[in-house]
Amino acid sequence: MSDTVQTEKEFSIEMIPEPEKIEEIIYSLMVNPNLSTINYFNDFSEQNISPESIGSSDTDETGLFDLDNNGNAMAMSTHAFHHHLESDPQKATEILISRATRKMLCFGAKPIAVSALLYHINVADPNGGLIASGAKKGLENAARKFNLQISDRKIRFDNFSEHGIVPPTIIVSMMAQVPNKKNVTTHTFKKKGNHIFLIGKTRDDINSSEYLEFFHGISDSPLPAFDIMEEIGIQKALKKLNEEKLIESASPVGKGGLFFTLLRAAIPNNLGFDITTDAETRLDAFLFGESMGRIIVGVNPGLEEEFVDAMSDLKIPFFTLGHVTKGEIRVDDESFGFIDKMTVGV
């Protein structure tokens, strides 16, 4: 967006000293409620929700629902974002839709439609119109780039002057088609010995991350690194890898960064991971940064050569991370114990 609504305070990663040890960061972030997999409605409501009424939990926050007895299914997900809607609503909206699309494509679903609701826009504030205009541009641009239909677009105007400041928030819901539920590629690691690859570029970027906000207490930073054309390339790669059945798991790097994405993939089957970080990228940015356009995939060793050839043909950057273990967590040859001690709060 050419005209920003609000000037950002300058932030640079150099303001944050690069950590020598990551153990304190890991265990501090584990108590962050934003990184918890607890279903608060199911755990604390007076009457539990019936498991039959919700989608499969093996798709990492995306519901998967049967349409018939022939294996056809539908996937649904909902995502919300409030970061920087006041400073760059177009980019923020594009990031949110890219994130939702990337997650759908990870397990082989075909995104079809997206709806967007813009909340908490103060009609008494002249910036409200600029935020709505920027969010609309972001929605339409992302839908066009990713070949999505827009099913709805609404703005809920609120004036919360008596209740303090409530940040503008955009919520998107996405629907996708799953031709055959048996061929779904879930986010979970499948077995010990599988190779782990990171698809996409690594960057010295910790902007708007849980690490920066929760561990360092800095909430005023720019949006994470994002390039919509890179997202299109990543989407093409995911489609090919799924069609040729070259991956056994796929998960977009999300909240908490690479480390917590690996944990979410390891926990369901009580597996672990042994990875080596990128020496050219800051340790905290590599493990806890939340820059866009990155996917973690698990590859059967017998298909590694075909996977590498496919990625080379696509000319998409990828990085060998390591392998799936029986349960131990290792980073750069340092052990952090086993997966059972990592499940609290994740």
Side-chain angles (χ1 to χ4, degrees), residues 53 119 217 245 270 329 333:
S53 67
Y119 280 78
K245 303 187 186 308
N270 293 313
I329 308 296
D333 293 328

Side-chain angles (χ1 to χ4, degrees), residues 59-65 74-80 96-105 107 109 111 113-116 171-176:
T59 50
D60 191 18
E61 301 175 354
T62 301
L64 195 59
F65 303 89
M74 172 185 67
M76 296 180 63
S77 66
T78 303
H79 304 258
L96 184 62
I97 295 174
S98 296
R99 181 183 292 166
T101 305
R102 195 185 322 122
K103 181 168 288 238
M104 287 292 190
L105 288 166
F107 58 90
V114 62
S115 65
I171 301 174
V172 301
S173 296
M174 183 167 287
M175 294 181 60

Side-chain angles (χ1 to χ4, degrees), residues 246-298:
L246 296 178
I247 54 178
E248 293 195 355
S249 64
S251 184
V253 175
K255 282 187 176 292
L258 177 72
F259 185 87
F260 280 85
T261 302
L262 287 166
L263 276 187
R264 288 190 287 269
I267 286 171
N269 290 329
N270 293 313
L271 296 168
F273 51 87
D274 185 346
I275 65 167
T276 302
T277 61
D278 182 0
E280 297 182 1
T281 306
R282 278 182 50 140
L283 184 63
D284 52 355
F286 187 82
L287 292 174
F288 309 113
E290 298 179 19
S291 60
M292 299 292 106
R294 293 177 297 152
I295 307 288
I296 291 170
V297 296

Side-chain angles (χ1 to χ4, degrees), residues 47-98:
Q47 184 173 356
N48 286 344
I49 299 172
S50 168
E52 289 76 20
S53 67
I54 60 176
S56 168
S57 61
D58 197 31
T59 50
D60 191 18
E61 301 175 354
T62 301
L64 195 59
F65 303 89
D66 291 323
L67 294 178
D68 54 36
N69 296 323
N70 299 319
N72 295 307
M74 172 185 67
M76 296 180 63
S77 66
T78 303
H79 304 258
F81 204 50
H82 68 271
H83 280 298
H84 306 287
L85 275 179
E86 293 178 275
S87 60
D88 198 337
Q90 178 174 341
K91 184 177 178 181
T93 303
E94 289 174 355
I95 283 176
L96 184 62
I97 295 174
S98 296

Side-chain angles (χ1 to χ4, degrees), residues 161-295:
S161 58
E162 296 181 3
H163 303 92
I165 298 174
V166 177
T169 301
I170 189 164
I171 301 174
V172 301
S173 296
M174 183 167 287
M175 294 181 60
Q177 180 184 8
V178 183
N180 192 333
K181 191 175 178 180
K182 293 181 180 179
N183 293 331
V184 164
T185 304
T186 65
H187 74 291
T188 58
F189 290 147
K190 301 303 184 292
K191 58 180 177 290
K192 174 183 177 294
N194 274 5
H195 295 293
I196 306 171
F197 290 89
L198 175 65
I199 299 175
K201 293 181 179 179
T202 60
R203 295 178 169 91
D204 282 333
D205 177 31
I206 57 174
N207 294 344
S208 295
S209 63
E210 295 294 329
Y211 162 66
L212 184 63
E213 296 194 11
F214 191 83
F215 186 77
H216 289 287
I218 297 175
S219 58
D220 191 4
S221 67
L223 285 162
F226 169 73
D227 184 320
I228 199 164
M229 297 310 295
E230 288 182 9
E231 293 284 344
I232 293 173
I234 294 292
Q235 291 182 16
K236 289 180 179 178
L238 281 169
K239 289 176 183 176
K240 180 173 182 177
L241 294 172
N242 275 312
E243 287 171 359
E244 299 185 6
K245 303 187 186 308
L246 296 178
I247 54 178
E248 293 195 355
S249 64
S251 184
V253 175
K255 282 187 176 292
L258 177 72
F259 185 87
F260 280 85
T261 302
L262 287 166
L263 276 187
R264 288 190 287 269
I267 286 171
N269 290 329
N270 293 313
L271 296 168
F273 51 87
D274 185 346
I275 65 167
T276 302
T277 61
D278 182 0
E280 297 182 1
T281 306
R282 278 182 50 140
L283 184 63
D284 52 355
F286 187 82
L287 292 174
F288 309 113
E290 298 179 19
S291 60
M292 299 292 106
R294 293 177 297 152
I295 307 288

